[in-house]
Amino acid sequence: MTQRRDFIKKAVLGGLGLSLFSSFRGEEQPPPIGWNNIESQFNIPPDYHYLNTGTLGISPKYVIHSYQKAIELLNTKGAYDQYKKQLYQRMASFFKCEEQELALTKNVTEGNNIAAWALPLKKGDEVILSTHEHVGNAIPWLNRARIDGLKIVLVELGKNGTETLSNISQKVSSRTKVIAMPHIPCTIGHILPVKQIAKLANTLGAYSCIDGAHGAGMLSLDLRSMGCDIYSGCFHKWMLGPKGSGFVYIKQSLLSSLDTHFAGAYSDNSWSFENAKLEFGGIRSDSAQRHAYGTQSDPIHAAVLSSIEFIEKLGVKKVEKTIRNKGKRLCEQLLELPELEVLASTQANENGGIVSFKPKRKDYREMYQNLSRQGFRIRAVPESSIDCIRVSTHIYNSDASIDQFVSAVKKELV
Ligand SMILES: Cc1ncc(COP(=O)(O)O)c(C=O)c1O
């Protein structure tokens, strides 16, 4: 029994990328959620500067605990679908939309694929993407374009949201049927004006599909008032949830007119094999949850629920403010270094928890490698030859850690 427990424990901790030298072992009660000594709620080693939430967030002990408890429950009593109903209710109130407008996915890319295949598009229709897309938004649209002969139109991002919006406006035509842009591009982290982008699409009679990989958890989201048609997000980055968990939002008024390509249990109105009739009552048109078919992971649902609870208990607005203040602290210090080009928006309120920069006279890769060797977990951005270093700030990054990072950058510049 103990051996089995140890095995499960190691598998869970290993799966979440945790080190086994931490004081928390998952079977104890996690510490109560609160801002006091926030670093103690996580297993991040004290001498390790995890500045890469833009790739994956570190889950708090509270979330890991739920994950482990759910694995135990599932594998002792076979109890299944214990959390899904509650989770949809909680997600709807967290994202300020209706339960039927949401479907659980395994990641952002799945949500982007659902969007790319749901829309009624035909040969010659144009899809606008930015030159800063993550592969997880580019490929779903390029794939649909490959199969159905759509035309992809690329737009450069501007130095701020106004410029970006104007760049988009210059690329639209009577054939524009989709504007598919990131809420916050993975490269330079500007918070794009998605409300205005959605409005522009709407006036054109086109669809707005937002890749929200970095929205949930970094920003307090109000999906309904954002006005976009489809929004794909995840829990495994800024929400600090379990890895391999996401969601897609589809505006209620579109549900009945959009298609569903992958379907199964929970996608249909009714189905029966009686009298060998190969018929069924059709795809559910009343809910986006038709996209979340078949057996799902209870432990992931439990852990997502806990990650929402964790952020809500800390206060979603306070989490956003803290992330942004830390990003600002970093950005302001980097802007003082003339040897760097800081790629932040020129409009201060469009910057959040992702700060990107590149050295003007040094090789960014070499600098990235040197900083990584010193225990700063950051990301190099080679995409579209942007060639910069990306730093993400979350609630577990202390101000001291950010200042140490800046000192290390300064040393690299001499
Ligand atoms: C902007 C953006 N879109 C999509 C993705 C893909 O996310 P996922 O791995 O959850 O599919 C990422 C991942 O970093 C991203 O940054």
Side-chain angles (χ1 to χ4, degrees):
M1 183 68 177
T2 316
Q3 264 181 338
R4 190 183 134 272
R5 278 238 181 90
D6 276 354
F7 173 77
I8 291 172
K9 189 168 69 186
K10 279 182 188 157
V12 172
L13 292 172
L16 285 166
L18 293 170
S19 54
L20 289 169
F21 50 79
S22 123
S23 60
F24 176 73
R25 290 287 178 272
E27 284 176 2
E28 304 153 21
Q29 281 301 314
I33 300 169
W35 284 97
N36 207 5
N37 201 2
I38 192 81
E39 289 97 345
S40 70
Q41 319 231 349
F42 297 86
N43 282 300
I44 306 170
D47 53 348
Y48 186 67
H49 305 276
Y50 188 80
L51 294 160
N52 195 31
T53 304
T55 297
L56 286 177
I58 300 286
S59 294
K61 295 170 185 177
Y62 186 76
V63 169
I64 297 159
H65 186 257
S66 301
Y67 190 78
Q68 184 167 32
K69 286 284 163 214
I71 286 187
E72 289 283 353
L73 183 65
L74 185 61
N75 293 294
T76 45
K77 298 189 176 160
Y80 173 64
D81 255 357
Q82 300 291 297
Y83 313 93
K84 198 157 73 181
K85 195 164 184 292
Q86 201 191 337
L87 177 55
Y88 274 113
Q89 284 167 356
R90 201 68 187 252
M91 281 162 61
S93 93
F94 188 76
F95 293 128
K96 303 193 176 54
C97 60
E98 299 299 320
E99 281 174 58
Q100 309 90 272
E101 295 179 302
L102 293 165
L104 286 160
T105 59
K106 55 181 186 297
N107 50 40
V108 182
T109 310
E110 188 181 358
N112 293 337
N113 270 291
I114 289 170
W117 285 104
L119 305 184
L121 302 174
K122 58 178 190 324
K123 193 170 175 180
D125 286 347
E126 292 182 1
V127 177
I128 295 188
L129 295 177
S130 80
T131 52
H132 284 238
E133 294 312 320
H134 185 276
V135 63
N137 194 40
I139 296 284
W141 293 105
L142 289 170
N143 194 37
R144 176 95 201 254
R146 175 181 67 84
I147 292 167
D148 284 333
L150 312 179
K151 184 176 170 210
I152 302 289
V153 176
L154 288 178
V155 167
E156 294 282 346
L157 296 185
K159 289 191 178 63
N160 54 47
T162 312
E163 263 188 43
T164 297
L165 204 57
S166 142
N167 293 353
I168 301 171
S169 304
Q170 285 167 30
K171 293 284 176 138
V172 300
S173 79
S174 58
R175 285 186 301 276
T176 305
K177 289 292 174 298
V178 186
I179 304 182
M181 302 280 284
H183 190 171
I184 300 170
C186 63
T187 49
I188 54 173
H190 297 191
I191 302 168
L192 300 189
V194 282
K195 216 170 179 169
Q196 287 98 311
I197 292 173
K199 209 167 164 187
L200 173 65
N202 198 22
T203 45
L204 295 167
Y207 296 98
S208 53
C209 300
I210 304 300
D211 174 340
H214 302 284
M218 188 203 287
L219 305 177
S220 152
L221 295 182
D222 184 333
L223 292 180
R224 273 249 161 131
S225 83
M226 202 181 277
C228 62
D229 294 318
I230 303 187
Y231 188 98
S232 319
C234 69
F235 296 100
H236 49 217
K237 295 182 190 285
W238 301 86
M239 288 295 297
L240 313 177
K243 314 308 171 253
S245 59
F247 65 93
V248 63
Y249 160 88
I250 304 175
K251 196 195 246 176
Q252 180 130 40
S253 56
L254 290 178
L255 284 169
S256 58
S257 60
L258 299 192
D259 218 326
T260 302
H261 284 252
F262 289 88
Y266 314 112
S267 306
D268 60 316
N269 285 319
S270 69
W271 180 79
S272 157
F273 217 179
E274 280 166 31
N275 305 326
K277 273 202 273 174
L278 290 175
E279 283 176 6
F280 82 118
I283 293 286
R284 286 178 73 183
S285 59
D286 62 332
S287 174
Q289 288 169 37
R290 65 194 186 220
H291 294 288
Y293 47 83
T295 302
Q296 308 239 329
S297 166
D298 262 36
I300 285 186
H301 291 177
V304 168
L305 204 45
S306 293
S307 69
I308 295 176
E309 239 165 61
F310 184 79
I311 303 248
E312 277 185 335
K313 277 211 177 134
L314 290 175
V316 61
K317 290 237 159 70
K318 190 165 176 196
V319 168
E320 170 177 341
K321 195 167 170 213
T322 307
I323 291 173
R324 294 177 80 145
N325 280 343
K326 287 177 191 293
K328 185 165 176 256
R329 182 184 187 96
L330 173 62
C331 192
E332 284 177 351
Q333 292 186 71
L334 294 176
L335 280 166
E336 280 170 18
L337 307 176
E339 305 91 333
L340 295 182
E341 184 186 352
V342 182
L343 303 170
S345 168
T346 53
Q347 191 66 45
N349 63 357
E350 292 172 353
N351 295 315
I354 291 182
V355 181
S356 296
F357 65 95
K358 52 170 140 188
K360 287 179 184 159
R361 278 178 286 276
K362 298 222 163 181
D363 178 31
Y364 86 102
R365 272 189 184 280
E366 201 181 312
M367 186 185 257
Y368 161 76
Q369 277 157 4
N370 290 344
L371 292 166
S372 301
R373 261 184 241 115
Q374 294 168 57
F376 295 103
R377 180 72 180 89
I378 47 181
R379 183 189 188 280
V381 182
E383 283 98 333
S384 310
S385 303
I386 295 161
D387 294 348
C388 65
I389 292 171
R390 185 187 80 183
V391 188
S392 311
T393 57
H394 211 300
I395 55 172
Y396 37 62
N397 302 121
S398 67
D399 288 350
S401 182
I402 289 167
D403 298 350
Q404 276 178 55
F405 176 74
V406 176
S407 301
V409 170
K410 281 182 188 161
K411 282 191 196 126
E412 287 298 312
L413 293 171
V414 289

